[in-house]
Amino acid sequence: VARIPDLYSGFDGIAPQLLAMERELIRSVDLVAHSSTELEAHIRQSGAKEHLYLSNGVDYDSFSSPQAPPPEYEAIKGPIAVYAGAMTEWLDYALLDHLARALPKVSFVYVGPDEMARERLTSLPNVHFLGWRPFERLPALLQHADVGLMPYDVVHHYERLRTVNSLKLYQYFSAGLPVVATRWPEVERLAPPVLIGDTPAAYAEAIQDALAGGVDLEAGRSIARANDWSSRVTMLLEALGLDGLALAEAVAT
């Protein structure tokens, strides 16, 4: 079994040799699992014998179990709009600058490696960089925020982003956050509990709607529960014709 999580040809600087190695891998294994429906055509064209849509998931209990307020938020005025994750070239920094200016009473908090974000975002009183945090600290940082952001630059990085099935989305949902995102295929599949901002003005309005309670949070939690990693293991074992319980007992003994 091989699992393909991204369309690597959409990344900058990927060597042709690596793409050739991926095609060889896809052809050589018995089953290729892929994290996005948008990856299916690529998997088929690369010569997969069998393929399985196996999207990303979440450790629901870890992100939904109540956490104490994080000390990082003590000096930050709410409401808090949080982005947690990689801050690289596929974030829409122009959008984020617009949001911070348009919504001065909202604190925009960035969690994760942030060198590029610090370079590209304007220093404003309501913009806060927390930097890298241990993964076990993430549930508290999400639970005690007010809205989760997914502000990707789809216009300039569509090939990179069109196949993204984001871990972040399920983590936000598990933590009980409303989510505001730019538009790309995988997030459109979950459009009802996600507010979409197609323009900077629309994105700012969507954040205000989310803060005003305009999102069904339980719908998000239901999606997260259904996408717990345990369900992914079950799907994979079933695809392989294996009995998960018998396999677990065999491993235990």
Side-chain angles (χ1 to χ4, degrees):
V1 179
R3 185 169 188 264
I4 306 297
D6 286 294
L7 185 66
Y8 294 114
S9 60
F11 285 72
D12 294 335
I14 293 294
Q17 294 91 331
L18 181 61
L19 300 179
M21 290 169 66
E22 183 200 46
R23 289 192 296 272
E24 182 180 353
L25 173 66
I26 289 172
R27 289 194 298 267
S28 66
V29 298
D30 297 297
L31 176 68
V32 178
H34 50 95
S35 61
S36 163
T37 55
E38 290 287 307
L39 280 168
E40 182 176 336
H42 167 66
I43 300 300
R44 286 178 176 273
Q45 291 166 7
S46 297
K49 299 181 182 74
E50 299 288 343
H51 67 88
L52 171 69
Y53 171 51
L54 193 72
S55 74
N56 282 320
V58 66
D59 183 349
Y60 179 78
D61 288 343
S62 292
F63 281 86
S64 63
S65 298
Q67 304 285 320
E72 292 93 335
Y73 286 174
E74 290 178 2
I76 298 176
K77 295 181 180 180
I80 291 174
V82 66
Y83 173 85
M87 286 169 249
T88 58
E89 67 276 358
W90 58 75
L91 284 190
D92 191 334
Y93 293 103
L95 168 64
L96 293 172
D97 256 347
H98 172 87
L99 295 174
R101 295 178 189 279
L103 303 171
K105 294 184 179 180
V106 176
S107 290
F108 290 86
V109 173
Y110 299 95
V111 182
D114 54 22
E115 181 178 350
M116 183 175 292
R118 287 177 180 270
E119 292 175 354
R120 297 193 181 186
L121 291 178
T122 304
S123 178
L124 294 169
N126 61 333
V127 174
H128 306 271
F129 297 103
L130 301 187
W132 179 87
R133 288 293 186 271
F135 187 74
E136 60 269 19
R137 301 280 298 123
L138 188 55
L141 291 165
L142 297 186
Q143 288 180 18
H144 293 277
D146 299 284
V147 59
L149 304 178
M150 302 185 72
Y152 296 136
D153 185 357
V154 181
V155 172
H156 297 102
H157 298 279
Y158 183 75
E159 280 304 301
R160 163 70 182 92
L161 294 168
R162 71 179 177 85
T163 63
V164 168
N165 181 271
S166 181
L167 290 162
K168 191 183 335 302
L169 181 64
Y170 302 123
Q171 292 167 355
Y172 286 168
F173 282 161
S174 298
L177 282 177
V179 178
V180 182
T182 46
R183 187 185 303 276
W184 77 95
E186 284 293 299
V187 81
E188 282 192 285
R189 295 191 308 108
L190 302 171
V194 179
L195 295 178
I196 302 294
D198 285 318
T199 66
Y203 204 110
E205 184 177 351
I207 290 175
Q208 292 175 308
D209 289 344
L211 293 174
V215 178
D216 183 353
L217 300 183
E218 185 52 41
R221 290 191 182 98
S222 296
I223 288 173
R225 281 192 294 267
N227 287 278
D228 188 88
W229 281 119
S230 61
S231 70
R232 300 291 178 267
V233 173
T234 299
M235 289 174 61
L236 181 58
L237 292 175
E238 289 177 350
L240 295 171
L242 299 174
D243 184 324
L245 180 60
L247 183 61
E249 291 175 347
V251 171
T253 55

